[in-house]
Every structure is written in structure tokens, then in C-alpha cells.
Amino acid sequence: MGPAHWRAALVLGRDAALLVTIAAMLVACASAPTPRSAANDAATAASAADRDGPPAVVPADLARTADALPRIEPIRVGGPNKPYAAFGQAIVPMTTDSALAERGGASWYGRKYHGRATSSGEVYDMFAMTAAHRTMPIPSFARVRNPANGREIVVRINDRGPFVDGRVIDLSYVAALKLGVLAGVTPVEVQRITHAEIRARQLLP
């Protein structure tokens, strides 16, 4: 092999070695973990904070919170009782003092919505005995019973929801605590307390 051929072989060998080195570097970069950054940590923290859940600190004796006290409140036509749409559903709330009884799942909402406005315009308080319902007049009072443990509570309806099939009521954190449904969606029985029933109870000795 002449000098020219030796030089060509050396160049080819050097180029091949360079290609092997570059390929090894690419493989190493592809398999290396993504470095953490302050931006990534902030995004993760924001995502965690946006998830709903219980309060960071549960007040003492919260389970002894008194039920909502039923009283007669005017039912407005319009406002929170006007027809609305949610997740593709057209919903028409009740605007008369009518009875309503349902069975279905109860869910609850907590710190994510604490301090935000409800459909009634009132501020949501997860430590108050309130709940959300799709169609009951706002405001209304409802009796909610958990057949699994026999517990029963009274809540004031001041919000709209839940908008998930199979669920009939969305309880405040304390209401869910008292009813024993914090572990997840739980079958319950819901009954609206009518003005007539409130009047009758007020006349009892």
C-alpha cells in the first residue's frame, strides 16, 4: 500500500473513531436524568396546592359542629335559580317550595374552594354546614343520611354541583366529616326540607 493509501486509511480511521465518540455522547445525554430547577419545583408545588383536600389544620371539636338550623328564606326566580349549563348539561333549578328526595353519591370539597364565592354569592366556608346541589332552590335546607352508619345531618344549600354522574350532593368538609364520608364518594339519601315542614316544626312545643 502506497503513502497515499496509508494517509486515506488514517483519515478514515480517525473519522470513524470520532463518530463512535459522538454516538456515545448522544446516548449518555439521552439517558441522563433531567436536572431539577427552581421553575420545575415551583410548578410542582403549584400543582399540589391546586389539588383539593382537607384543611392543613383541623380545628378541635370540629365533629361537634351544630347542624344548619332550617329557617324560611325567600326563593328567588333568577339569580342562582335561573337555568344554567355545566359540562354540556342544561340544568333547570327548582323555583318552588317543593319536596325532593334522592339517593346517590355524596362527595365533598375543601381547601381549594375555601374563601371563594359560591353560586349564591356567599363565601364558601369548609367549616360551615353547607352543600351544593344541582337543582334545589338556593337557598334550601336538606337532610342527608348515610345508610352505612346511620348518621344524619342538616345542611344549607348555597352552591351548585356536583356535575358528575351518580353524585347527588357535594358537602362541605365539616358536613362530610360529620356524616362519615371523607374517605370517598359514598351512597346517601337526600331530602329537601320544605317551608311547610319548617313551619310545622316551629309550631311544635
Side-chain angles (χ1 to χ4, degrees), residues 16-183:
L18 180 62
L19 289 174
V20 170
T21 301
I22 291 173
M25 290 174 65
L26 289 173
V27 169
C29 289
S31 60
T34 302
R36 294 189 61 185
S37 68
N40 288 337
D41 290 347
T44 301
S47 176
D50 194 51
R51 289 196 293 269
D52 201 2
V57 178
V58 178
D61 297 329
L62 192 61
R64 297 184 181 181
T65 302
D67 283 357
L69 181 62
R71 61 184 185 274
I72 296 174
E73 298 185 70
I75 297 173
R76 287 192 294 155
V77 176
N81 295 322
K82 66 183 178 184
Y84 65 98
F87 298 96
Q89 303 177 56
I91 303 172
V92 181
M94 299 164 58
T95 54
T96 59
D97 179 37
S98 304
L100 176 67
E102 295 177 302
R103 292 183 179 182
S107 50
W108 59 276
Y109 55 132
R111 66 169 181 262
K112 180 179 178 180
Y113 301 93
H114 187 68
R116 298 187 185 183
T118 62
S119 298
S120 66
E122 300 170 0
V123 174
Y124 172 64
D125 181 356
M126 63 179 165
F127 303 124
M129 293 294 289
T130 61
H133 192 275
R134 286 192 294 271
T135 60
M136 277 193 202
I138 289 179
S140 282
F141 291 87
R143 187 177 294 109
V144 188
R145 182 175 180 273
N146 182 352
N149 57 22
R151 297 184 193 177
E152 186 174 289
I153 60 173
V154 174
V155 293
R156 183 171 179 270
I157 306 296
N158 69 346
D159 205 0
R160 290 295 177 215
F163 303 108
V164 178
D165 289 343
R167 302 186 192 181
V168 295
I169 197 164
D170 214 2
L171 302 167
S172 69
Y173 173 78
V174 67
L177 172 69
K178 289 189 63 177
L179 200 61
V181 301
L182 285 177

